[in-house]
Amino acid sequence: MHSGGKTIQLQAGQYQAKIVTVGAGLAELTHRGRHIVMPHKPEEMPLAHLGKILVPWPNRVANGCYQHHGKTFQLAVNDLASHTAIHGLLAWRDWQINQQSASEASLNIFLPPSYGYPFSLRVEVTYRLEAISGLQVSIATQNTGDEVTPYGSGAHPYLTCDLEKIDTCTLTLPTDEVLNLDTLQRHRTEELNFTTPHLVGATCIDHTFKAMASGDEWQVSVFSPSKKMTTFLRSNQPWLQVYSGEKLRRLGLAVEPMSCPPDAFNSGIDLISLAPDESHRLHFSIGAE
């Protein structure tokens, strides 16, 4: 046992992965020996929520405060710069290993009620490596309480082309619709239009994008001409956060599939209301070409 909990190693074909039990986090993913997500040492606490699972909300809750069924709840403000509650409640909890094989592992955790979030959930995350299609990830959450629960989920991997700076890489996004968090309106800007692949260059990105229509799978890809490799993330979630990784020297691009946008606990946009015993599942995959 170390500060990342326990380490799980998976392999299938030319893919290898390391999972840590703290945060059910993805600590490393390689293809043909080259990094396709930003890695961190399993025994170290990673920066910038590298690879963590984001439950019961992705991104942020403004001022850590929200209302539910006429009651006001206050979460711990754990991002002082933005004065928000960030990335849920399970990123720094130690999850239990449910099952493990050479190419697949599942981890689960029980989230008990707390003063800021007086609801109970059981969450299971499954990582499965496939020799052809890469890493398949599923986040399954069940409301184990007796009342309707506000809920959202997401994950925080950083795509990389073997640790080359994203400035020299070509980015392709499935959409150019950006959510303005102040007005809650969507708009388009040419600066952030990567629907046609082009060089990232010095562009700074830390924006929420509205992905494709619900149920349609989309893809984000990062291509490095010098490395002659492409990394990609695919999902069908309605929202996508993209961050150009300044905290990590721009060696990777955060690509975060999300079931709802930032501050959905207040805006209500795509916020999931989980009834007692009801479940929700989020799926995404990561691979390289």
Side-chain angles (χ1 to χ4, degrees):
M1 179 77 74
H2 47 67
S3 61
K6 298 177 182 177
T7 303
I8 302 169
Q9 300 195 49
L10 305 177
Q11 182 169 356
Q14 298 187 73
Y15 283 101
Q16 292 184 321
K18 290 181 181 178
I19 313 299
V20 290
T21 55
V22 170
L26 177 60
E28 183 176 293
L29 179 61
T30 61
H31 181 249
R32 297 179 179 174
R34 301 196 291 181
H35 293 287
I36 62 177
V37 301
M38 280 284 294
H40 70 84
K41 293 180 180 179
E43 65 273 14
E44 293 181 353
M45 180 178 176
L47 295 172
H49 284 79
L50 269 174
K52 298 303 185 183
I53 298 299
L54 315 178
V55 169
W57 70 87
N59 216 288
R60 294 160 171 79
V61 177
N63 301 310
C65 186
Y66 68 99
Q67 290 190 342
H68 177 69
H69 289 178
K71 296 180 180 179
T72 299
F73 298 101
Q74 180 65 56
L75 298 159
V77 172
N78 56 358
D79 188 71
L80 298 181
S82 61
H83 201 262
T84 61
I86 192 170
H87 292 331
L89 298 171
L90 297 178
W92 308 110
R93 292 274 303 276
D94 193 31
W95 297 51
Q96 302 302 307
I97 299 172
N98 184 41
Q99 66 87 21
Q100 180 180 353
S101 67
S103 61
E104 182 174 339
S106 67
L107 304 92
N108 59 38
I109 197 167
F110 172 66
L111 177 64
S114 59
Y115 290 125
Y117 191 78
F119 314 102
S120 60
L121 303 172
R122 185 168 297 280
V123 191
E124 181 176 52
V125 175
T126 301
Y127 289 96
R128 185 178 74 255
L129 271 182
E130 297 181 351
I132 302 300
S133 57
L135 182 66
Q136 310 294 316
V137 186
S138 173
I139 306 170
T141 303
Q142 182 184 27
N143 179 0
T144 57
D146 56 6
E147 60 180 301
V148 174
T149 299
Y151 175 78
S153 65
H156 212 307
Y158 285 73
L159 295 183
T160 186
C161 290
D162 203 28
L163 304 182
E164 180 176 350
K165 279 203 167 187
I166 63 168
D167 307 50
T168 60
C169 295
T170 297
L171 171 64
T172 308
L173 296 179
T175 178
D176 61 347
E177 282 194 54
V178 178
L179 179 68
N180 184 312
L181 297 180
D182 294 324
T183 65
L184 300 180
Q185 300 297 312
R186 302 201 300 266
H187 65 281
R188 290 180 165 88
T189 61
E190 188 59 33
E191 181 187 14
L192 296 173
N193 187 349
F194 290 90
T195 54
T196 300
H198 67 265
L199 195 68
V200 175
T203 305
C204 291
I205 311 172
D206 192 6
H207 294 79
T208 303
F209 293 83
K210 174 62 177 173
M212 300 171 69
S214 179
D216 293 337
E217 187 175 68
W218 45 260
Q219 175 173 302
V220 173
S221 60
V222 180
F223 169 66
S224 165
S226 65
K227 300 281 188 178
K228 297 181 180 179
M229 68 181 294
T230 297
T231 59
F232 61 82
L233 184 146
R234 297 171 180 153
S235 187
N236 64 352
Q237 292 305 296
W239 297 94
L240 167 66
Q241 184 78 18
V242 180
Y243 166 54
S244 46
E246 280 72 19
K247 292 180 180 178
L248 299 166
R249 296 180 291 132
R250 291 173 66 90
L251 297 176
L253 183 81
V255 180
E256 308 166 44
M258 305 184 300
S259 65
C260 59
D263 204 28
F265 274 34
N266 285 301
S267 72
I269 298 175
D270 285 335
L271 182 66
I272 296 165
S273 295
L274 273 183
D277 295 324
E278 187 178 8
S279 296
H280 174 268
R281 185 180 298 272
L282 182 152
H283 176 267
F284 65 96
S285 60
I286 303 175
E289 297 170 343

